[in-house]
Amino acid sequence: MTRLPARTAAARGSVASRLRSQIEAAEAEGAAREDMVLKLTHSDVSHLKRDSSLAVTDISFAAGVMRFLGVRIEEGGVQASSLDPV
């Protein structure tokens, strides 16, 4: 069995840039951001919260809900992060 080298965060890009691309692609296909849900791992949420390259307006916390670029985030309960365009 051949093992693939571990991918570093730099090699795969930031969590924010990956999610931004997914959101923009879904939006281009006709999905509205208010209808999308990001189901993220605890690790990906942590990376988003600590990403100093993000604008203050990219992440919001209101009424107990975290949003990235206007898309609601559900944290945990998944092994891999995903965007559900609902």
Side-chain angles (χ1 to χ4, degrees):
M1 176 189 248
T2 304
R3 290 188 107 177
L4 297 175
R7 294 178 63 176
T8 63
R12 65 181 171 157
S14 73
V15 171
S17 65
R18 182 171 38 92
L19 295 175
R20 183 184 309 273
S21 294
Q22 291 176 3
I23 291 167
E24 289 171 353
E27 195 171 41
E29 292 178 7
R33 291 185 186 204
E34 57 270 7
D35 295 333
M36 297 180 203
V37 177
L38 283 164
K39 295 183 179 180
L40 304 181
T41 63
H42 293 293
S43 176
D44 281 351
V45 169
S46 177
H47 285 287
L48 273 181
K49 288 178 178 178
R50 295 183 299 159
D51 190 335
S52 61
S53 70
L54 293 177
V56 174
T57 56
D58 288 348
I59 296 178
S60 65
F61 301 87
V65 177
M66 179 180 175
R67 293 182 184 274
F68 176 65
L69 301 175
V71 177
R72 182 171 49 93
I73 292 176
E74 290 181 2
E75 181 179 357
V78 294
Q79 290 183 344
S81 294
S82 65
L83 171 67
D84 292 341
V86 185

